[in-house]
């Protein structure tokens, strides 16, 4: 559903015309405005915005609304700024003052500076209580009779995001309204407590927006953080829900804390916890602290603000998508939406009160934090150098674009020099030759803590019981050659002389040539295909016009494109310019070494018709990552096929079928799997990712086999005389920690590649993968082992001892010929959360290159 902005503005104008005195007397509560008490039903997103707009019109001297973007489905993304009359009138000055405190802007702070607290609601769509609670919070702030909130606003600016994820929320709310009994059914077995696939938690593309703060792959994150970076509040609170059997969680957080979190930030976690306890104890509400929710992974709504100098917190209310309007819990109590709203309102009030009471201290420590970043950055490394060469130009451009979104300062060395540094590729301290055009990121900048967290080769983990992945260093994620230096190195130039993208000097060449190194090269290919250009690819290295070209080079010959006439040259050159592609050209099909352009080693690339499995059994996140890749990253058509009708789909209409991670036991029964195999044998290409590959392992005609847990096998082989009966006496309290021995928590491994295989075109001998599962596979006997782990390929992150052993000598990427077609196995998901940039070309190779 879309919301036409002109109507919203008309509504605002109407309320602005009402006399202020009358408005103060007649300001409506949420119940009066909506026609029902909060908690009696879920409020749709458009009605949430209506009430926010109404309040802003009623008290325009205290509330200002900003639409900062739109979701993928066209719903407005809105912020409400709430402040005293004086502070709202100078809101932009306050924002700039705060950036001066952070060292982002130069100059002295003007006037009396308030503290700034930002509160985000409903980042997970089916954790829907948040956007109900914010309506009451806004009312308390707008109500002229509420002297408590008016006092807080004297020294505090409050920024509220009433719904971070409108698309996910509406998916949940609309389903619930259709499924719920009149007034709600509290029985835990009622349909309304069993949300269907994919659930309302993620956004339109099924991304978890609470894992996207640092990566900013989704439009909601990008637009929100553009505004956030222009404010940098002292306090950020993120409102969530958890399982129905849990009460309420607030800070202090659980371990592990990232080592970059300062003593002051840790201390203030306790301070805000004290304020929350006062509210909850007064009402005799249950809660817990210091469990489950840690501060390590950098892309949460508590950690990313923390690494930007804020006090970042998560609030978790028991309930989530299962709770509905009311649900009976295991202890016999009934958890209602009304209860859940009251708890989130209390936490919101406690957060604002703590911010107001401690405003001066918050501002002082905020300035101190950024002064230390600028002058005394923490950590071993004081600068990071990214090599700037032609082969990595596309990946480097993606990285610098990312740095700019984060407001991380970088520049260029300006002159050739040398030093010592940690080489990310080898994992060793080495001599480094730094070129004048190499990118330099100095730690002596306002955002140095964020730089440290994102770039340090391996993050120190004080406790292995953590909530998410444990390694994410940007040089690995972006596939660039980088070094971490222990000595200070400042960039000498903010920019380098702009160089025009190389264009062929031959007006009408025999063939255009484009190297194959990055996602931009894939975008170039897909756009040419969509415009009807026939493209070939070199299967071997070659030399022409005194230039060396690697396997994977795109060869765009005039032959085969004659029907386009003069448009051929214009299309190729324009598309290359659009995607920043340096085109080569040659006047002949003869090469001085390698295979001539008419050789069988130079193959036509067919424009594939791609099908993508979706629906019950498929991981919504895994499906969404592939869906987003096609629609938003490479702009190429993909047909999503639901598992409910997959059996009736004529597969011969497609060239590629992608199985994202999931459980395919129901959709691909024996008969249906046989149909899929027959389709592959006639020339189809099947791509099985993560759990989909695990499901295929060991099945008839699939060469993939699971790698057994060697430690477990060794244990079975022990003789009775060597066994110690006391080994069975384990401590109950250690069960979680002992289970970690077999886990991989998002760790980086160096994958050895067969770079001559089309799946690895555009890569060197290695690729750094983010491994998240200990499901290991044996090397293929009747296929190509394109990407493998050998011994000691671990690079960074937490890996349990048993898992590390199991992942030695394991297959990560492989292909198997099956009849005229191919099966591609991906034990690693190169599209994970959309941020592992270096894997995106690999996936493109699987779809567009392998088997051509």
């Amino acid at each position: 559903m879309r919301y036409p902005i002109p109507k919203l503005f008309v509504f605002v104008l109407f309320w602005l015309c009402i006399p202020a005195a009358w408005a103060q007397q007649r300001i409506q509560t949420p119940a009066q405005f909506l026609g029902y008490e909060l908690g009696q039903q879920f409020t749709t997103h458009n009605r949430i915005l209506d009430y926010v707009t109404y309040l802003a019109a009623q008290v325009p001297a205290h509330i200002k609304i900003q639409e900062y973007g739109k979701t993928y489905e066209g719903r407005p993304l809105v912020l409400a700024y709430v402040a005293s009359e004086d502070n709202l009138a100078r809101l932009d000055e306050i924002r700039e003052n705060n950036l001066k405190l952070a060292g982002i802007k130069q100059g002295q702070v003007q006037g009396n500076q308030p503290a700034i607290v930002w509160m985000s609601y409903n980042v997970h769509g089916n954790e829907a209580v948040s956007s109900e609670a914010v309506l009451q919070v806004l009312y308390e702030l707008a109500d002229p009779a509420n002297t408590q909130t008016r006092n807080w606003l004297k020294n505090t600016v409050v920024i509220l995001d009433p719904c971070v994820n409108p698309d996910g929320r509406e998916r949940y709310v609309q389903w619930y309204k259709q499924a719920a009994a009149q007034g709600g059914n509290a029985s835990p077995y009622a349909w309304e407590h069993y949300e269907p696939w994919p659930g309302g938690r993620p956004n339109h593309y099924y991304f978890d927006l609470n894992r996207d703060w640092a990566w900013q792959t989704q439009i909601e994150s990008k637009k929100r953080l553009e505004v956030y970076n222009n404010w940098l509040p002292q306090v950020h609170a993120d409102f969530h829900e958890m399982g129905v059997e849990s009460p309420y969680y607030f800070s202090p957080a659980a371990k592990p804390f990232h080592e970059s979190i300062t003593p002051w930030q840790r201390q203030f976690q306790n301070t805000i916890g004290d304020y929350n306890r006062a509210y909850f104890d007064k009402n005799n509400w249950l809660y817990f602290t210091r469990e489950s929710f840690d501060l390590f992974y950098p892309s949460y709504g508590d950690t990313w603000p923390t690494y930007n100098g804020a006090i970042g917190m998560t609030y978790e209310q028991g309930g989530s998508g299962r709770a509905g309007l009311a649900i009976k819990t295991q202890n016999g109590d009934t958890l209602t939406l009304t209860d859940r709203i009251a708890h989130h309102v209390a936490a919101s009030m406690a957060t604002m009160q703590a911010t107001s009471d401690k405003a001066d201290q918050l501002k002082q420590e905020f300035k101190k934090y950024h002064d230390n970043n600028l002058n005394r950055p923490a950590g071993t490394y004081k600068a990071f150098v990214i090599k700037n060469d032609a082969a990595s130009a596309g990946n480097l451009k993606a990285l610098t674009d990312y740095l700019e979104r984060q407001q991380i300062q970088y520049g260029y060395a300006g002159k050739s020099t040398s030093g010592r540094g940690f080489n990310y590729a080898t994992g060793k301290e080495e001599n480094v030759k730094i070129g004048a055009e190499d990118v330099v990121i100095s730690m002596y900048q306002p955002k140095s803590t964020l730089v440290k967290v994102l770039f340090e080769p391996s993050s120190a983990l004080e406790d292995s019981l953590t909530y998410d992945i444990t390694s994410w260093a940007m040089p690995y994620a972006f596939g660039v050659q980088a070094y971490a230096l222990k000595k200070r190195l400042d960039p000498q130039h903010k920019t380098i002389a702009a160089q025009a993208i190389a264009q062929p000097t031959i007006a009408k060449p025999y063939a255009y040539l484009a190297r194959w190194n990055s996602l931009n090269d894939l975008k170039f290919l897909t756009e040419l295909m969509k415009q009807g250009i026939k493209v070939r690819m070199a299967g071997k290295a070659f030399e022409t016009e005194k230039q060396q070209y690697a396997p994977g080079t795109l060869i765009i010959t005039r032959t085969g494109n004659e029907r386009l006439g003069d448009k051929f040259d214009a299309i190729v050159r324009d598309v290359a310019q659009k995607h920043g592609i340096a085109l080569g050209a040659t006047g002949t099909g003869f090469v001085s070494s390698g295979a001539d352009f008419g050789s069988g080693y130079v193959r036509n690339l067919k424009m594939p018709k791609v099908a993508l499995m979706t629906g019950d059994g498929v991981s919504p996140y895994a499906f969404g990552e592939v869906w987003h890749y096609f629609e938003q990253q490479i702009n190429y058509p993909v047909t999503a096929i639901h598992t409910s009708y997959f059996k009736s789909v004529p597969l011969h209409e497609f060239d590629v079928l992608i199985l994202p991670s999931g459980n395919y036991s129901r959709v691909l029964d024996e008969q249906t799997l046989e149909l899929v195999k027959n389709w592959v044998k006639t020339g189809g290409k099947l791509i099985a990712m993560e759990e989909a590959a695990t499901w295929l392992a060991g099945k008839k005609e699939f060469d993939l086999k699971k790698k057994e847990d060697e430690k477990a096998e060794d244990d079975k082989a022990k003789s009775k005389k060597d066994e110690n009966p006391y080994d069975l006496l384990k401590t109950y309290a250690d069960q979680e920690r002992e289970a970690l021995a077999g886990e991989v928590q998002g760790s980086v491994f160096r994958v050895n590649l067969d770079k001559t295989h089309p799946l690895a075109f555009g890569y060197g001998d290695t690729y750094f993968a983010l491994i998240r599962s200990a499901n290991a596979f044996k090397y293929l006997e009747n296929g190509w082992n394109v990407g493998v782990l050998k011994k000691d390929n671990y690079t960074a992150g937490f890996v349990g001892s048993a898992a590390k052993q199991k992942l030695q000598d394991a297959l990560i990427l492989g292909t198997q010929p099956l009849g005229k077609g191919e099966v591609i196995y991906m034990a690693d998901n190169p599209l994970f959360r959309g941020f592992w940039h270096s894997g995106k070309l690999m996936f493109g190779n699987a779809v567009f290159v392998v088997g051509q």
Side-chain angles (χ1 to χ4, degrees):
M1 182 175 180
R2 294 179 182 270
Y3 303 90
I5 295 305
K7 291 182 181 179
L8 193 64
F9 287 152
V10 170
F11 189 69
V12 174
L13 186 61
F14 171 77
W15 286 106
L16 285 174
C17 295
I18 298 174
W22 184 87
Q24 286 185 8
Q25 295 170 3
R26 298 289 300 274
I27 187 169
Q28 294 183 344
T29 66
Q32 291 168 336
F33 182 88
L34 297 170
Y36 54 86
E37 293 290 340
L38 288 178
Q40 288 185 344
Q41 66 182 67
F42 284 107
T43 308
T44 57
H45 181 251
N46 63 312
R47 291 296 284 158
I48 292 168
L49 294 190
D50 285 348
Y51 187 62
V52 173
T53 304
Y54 160 77
L55 289 179
Q58 288 290 87
V59 284
H62 291 280
I63 300 178
K64 175 183 175 181
I65 299 173
Q66 176 189 5
E67 182 180 310
Y68 64 86
K70 282 188 168 61
T71 68
Y72 288 111
E73 295 176 17
R75 294 184 175 88
L77 296 164
V78 170
L79 291 173
Y81 297 89
V82 191
S84 67
E85 185 171 351
D86 289 344
N87 284 336
L88 197 72
R90 52 189 286 267
L91 200 60
D92 198 54
E93 178 186 303
I94 290 169
R95 181 187 63 79
E96 293 210 358
N97 279 344
N98 206 57
L99 295 179
K100 290 174 182 176
L101 288 177
I104 302 292
K105 281 185 172 288
Q106 302 299 311
Q108 296 297 314
V109 171
Q110 302 296 316
N112 186 30
Q113 180 68 7
I116 300 164
V117 56
W118 182 310
M119 296 192 287
S120 299
Y121 299 84
N122 224 153
V123 67
H124 291 146
N126 62 359
E127 297 174 9
V129 64
S130 299
S131 291
E132 307 293 333
V134 75
L135 301 181
Q136 186 65 38
V137 173
L138 266 168
Y139 172 75
E140 299 297 342
L141 289 168
D143 183 7
N146 191 325
T147 56
Q148 184 183 45
T149 58
R150 286 298 162 102
N151 282 332
W152 296 345
L153 293 176
K154 290 177 181 178
N155 68 348
T156 305
V157 170
V158 179
I159 305 174
L160 301 174
D161 192 329
C163 190
V164 174
N165 181 8
D167 293 348
R169 178 185 172 83
E170 280 302 284
R171 187 185 309 125
Y172 172 74
V173 169
Q174 294 301 333
W175 167 78
Y176 186 81
K177 285 177 177 290
Q178 295 169 27
Q182 189 70 31
N185 185 336
S187 169
Y189 308 108
W191 177 28
E192 63 198 73
H193 301 302
Y194 291 87
E195 195 180 357
W197 193 97
R201 179 184 175 93
N203 75 339
H204 171 78
Y205 281 108
Y206 304 165
F207 272 65
D208 185 335
L209 294 181
N210 194 43
R211 272 56 174 186
D212 196 46
W213 281 77
W215 318 135
Q216 298 167 28
T217 67
Q218 302 301 290
I219 192 67
E220 296 90 344
S221 304
K222 289 177 180 177
K223 292 298 183 181
R224 181 176 70 257
L225 293 170
E226 282 177 14
V227 183
Y228 189 101
N229 270 321
N230 279 317
W231 277 94
L232 294 180
Q234 281 82 40
V235 176
H236 180 264
D238 198 22
F239 290 81
H240 291 262
E241 289 188 80
M242 52 188 164
V244 296
E245 302 302 332
S246 298
Y248 199 93
Y249 163 84
F250 50 74
S251 61
K255 291 184 178 180
F257 280 61
H258 195 285
E259 65 178 1
S260 296
I261 298 173
T262 67
W264 154 253
Q265 289 174 315
R266 297 175 189 231
Q267 174 193 329
F268 207 83
Q269 285 259 325
N270 293 321
T271 300
I272 289 194
D274 291 340
Y275 277 81
N276 276 288
R277 281 195 292 278
Y279 278 80
F280 277 67
D281 287 345
K282 180 180 178 181
N283 289 282
N284 296 311
W285 293 334
L286 292 176
Y287 57 87
F288 67 94
T289 65
R290 296 164 295 181
E291 295 177 31
S292 302
F293 304 102
D294 62 72
L295 292 174
F296 190 71
Y297 172 67
S299 205
Y300 292 138
D302 51 12
T303 51
W304 189 85
T306 296
Y307 302 144
N308 280 275
I311 308 301
M313 295 158 301
T314 290
Y315 290 123
E316 295 273 355
Q317 164 63 48
S320 199
R322 184 142 190 266
L325 295 180
I327 189 169
K328 190 162 287 187
T329 61
Q330 291 177 0
N331 64 11
D333 291 337
T334 298
L335 175 65
T336 68
L337 180 59
T338 302
D339 295 333
R340 292 151 60 199
I341 291 170
H343 300 161
H344 265 344
V345 170
S348 301
M349 302 297 276
T351 302
M352 292 186 290
Q353 183 178 356
T355 303
S356 177
D357 288 354
K358 307 293 182 181
D360 289 341
Q361 196 176 7
L362 280 164
K363 289 180 294 181
Q364 291 166 8
E365 292 292 338
F366 181 78
K367 185 177 188 307
K368 178 181 175 183
Y369 179 97
H370 288 93
D371 285 347
N372 286 338
N373 280 352
L374 190 60
N375 300 301
R376 295 172 294 279
T380 302
Y381 300 108
K382 303 306 178 187
F384 300 91
V385 174
I386 318 296
K387 300 299 291 181
N388 188 353
D389 55 62
S392 63
N395 289 344
L396 182 58
K397 177 64 165 60
L399 175 57
T400 55
D401 287 347
Y402 173 76
L403 296 177
E404 289 170 9
R405 287 199 304 273
Q406 297 281 358
Q407 289 191 351
I408 290 173
Q409 298 169 5
Y410 71 93
Y412 300 88
K415 62 180 180 180
S416 297
T417 185
S418 61
R420 295 278 296 174
F422 173 86
N423 184 338
Y424 285 81
T426 64
K428 299 177 181 178
E429 192 85 9
E430 297 175 2
N431 292 325
V432 184
K433 290 184 178 179
I434 302 167
E437 295 188 353
D438 288 346
V439 171
V440 175
I441 306 165
S442 172
M443 282 287 288
Y444 292 82
Q445 61 168 296
K447 292 219 172 186
S448 69
T449 298
L450 184 62
V451 173
K452 175 183 181 295
V453 171
L454 293 176
F455 277 84
E456 58 191 351
S458 184
S459 298
L461 190 62
E462 65 176 339
D463 192 323
S464 54
L465 284 174
T466 185
Y467 202 57
D468 214 289
I469 66 172
T470 56
S471 189
W472 49 77
M474 292 296 95
Y476 298 131
F478 281 87
V480 292
Q481 184 181 355
Y483 298 87
L485 278 57
K486 293 179 180 178
K487 291 186 177 180
R488 180 171 182 170
L489 179 66
D490 294 324
Q492 299 301 304
H493 301 295
K494 292 185 178 180
T495 60
I496 54 176
Q499 297 180 353
I501 298 170
Q503 291 291 328
T505 55
I506 306 173
K508 294 184 179 295
Y510 179 92
Y512 292 98
L513 306 173
R515 302 180 192 277
W516 188 252
N517 295 310
S518 73
L519 185 65
N520 277 2
D521 303 315
L522 176 59
K523 292 178 181 178
F524 173 61
L525 169 64
T526 58
E527 187 160 345
L528 289 179
M529 285 179 165
K530 288 189 296 180
Q531 296 209 32
I533 300 289
K534 292 185 177 179
V535 183
R536 302 164 189 255
M537 177 173 276
K540 287 187 173 183
F542 66 93
E543 181 179 348
T544 186
E545 306 286 349
K546 298 182 180 179
Q547 291 287 317
Q548 299 282 341
Y549 292 90
T553 297
L554 300 179
I555 301 171
I556 311 155
T557 59
R558 195 168 298 277
T559 298
N561 291 297
E562 297 92 344
R563 70 194 184 287
L564 295 171
D566 290 340
K567 291 182 180 178
F568 168 70
D569 298 280
I571 292 172
V572 174
R573 290 171 185 256
D574 288 349
V575 175
Q577 191 72 28
K578 175 182 175 180
H579 294 289
I581 305 300
L583 278 179
T586 179
T588 176
F590 176 79
V591 298
S592 46
S593 67
D596 296 330
F597 295 168
S599 165
Y601 290 107
V602 178
R603 300 181 180 180
N604 290 316
L605 294 180
K606 179 183 176 182
M607 182 177 179
K609 294 179 180 178
V610 182
L612 172 63
M613 193 78 87
T614 186
D616 293 307
V618 179
S619 162
Y621 302 118
F623 163 72
E625 287 155 3
V626 181
W627 185 21
H628 185 267
Y629 175 82
F630 278 99
E631 289 201 350
Q632 296 295 325
Q633 298 177 48
I634 66 172
N635 192 24
Y636 189 85
V638 62
T639 300
I641 299 176
H642 200 278
T643 54
S644 62
Y645 63 84
F646 175 76
K647 296 177 183 180
S648 64
V649 173
L651 288 178
H652 66 266
E653 295 285 340
F654 299 95
D655 305 299
V656 179
L657 173 61
I658 302 169
L659 303 182
S661 188
N663 183 347
Y664 289 87
S665 58
R666 290 187 178 180
V667 63
L668 294 181
D669 56 28
E670 187 174 342
Q671 182 181 5
T672 309
L673 184 59
E674 196 65 31
L675 293 175
V676 171
K677 285 192 290 186
N678 289 336
W679 166 78
V680 174
K681 290 175 183 177
T682 59
K685 181 161 53 181
L686 180 67
I687 302 175
M689 305 175 70
E690 295 188 300
E691 291 299 321
T694 302
W695 185 79
L696 290 177
K699 289 185 168 50
K700 185 179 177 181
E701 295 189 88
F702 291 98
D703 192 42
L704 191 68
K705 293 180 176 61
K706 294 179 184 177
K707 191 168 180 283
E708 296 300 327
D709 187 330
E710 294 172 7
K711 184 178 184 299
E713 291 300 309
D714 289 344
D715 289 345
K716 290 178 184 178
K718 280 184 177 181
S719 64
K720 291 288 184 182
K721 64 180 181 180
D722 293 331
E723 290 182 355
N724 184 345
Y726 297 115
D727 289 342
L728 298 176
L729 303 180
K730 299 177 180 179
T731 304
Y732 179 78
D734 292 337
Q735 58 181 318
E736 282 187 282
R737 203 167 299 282
E738 289 188 4
L740 289 174
E743 296 295 322
V744 182
Q745 293 184 270
S747 303
V748 177
F749 281 76
R750 185 181 68 257
V751 178
N752 295 100
L753 294 177
D754 173 6
K755 64 181 180 182
T756 69
H757 192 281
L759 186 57
F761 281 178
Y763 292 82
D765 295 320
T766 58
Y767 157 69
F768 288 94
L770 186 65
I771 304 296
R772 298 176 299 113
S773 170
N775 287 338
F777 303 105
K778 295 180 179 180
Y779 296 155
L780 299 174
E781 295 179 5
N782 300 302
W784 299 102
N785 297 289
V786 183
V788 300
L789 297 179
K790 297 181 180 178
K791 290 181 173 58
D792 302 321
N793 278 36
Y794 162 79
T795 300
F798 175 79
V799 185
S801 56
K804 186 177 288 188
Q805 183 178 7
K806 192 174 180 181
L807 286 168
Q808 291 184 357
D809 299 323
L811 175 75
I812 299 299
L813 300 162
T815 68
Q816 175 196 339
L818 187 60
K820 295 180 180 179
E822 297 262 356
V823 181
I824 300 174
Y825 303 112
M826 291 186 153
D828 159 59
N829 175 10
L831 305 181
F832 178 64
R833 291 183 183 164
F835 88 97
W836 205 257
H837 188 85
S838 64
K840 294 177 180 180
L841 183 65
M842 185 84 68
F843 192 77
N845 285 340
V847 175
F848 295 95
V849 181
V850 173
Q852 293 269 27

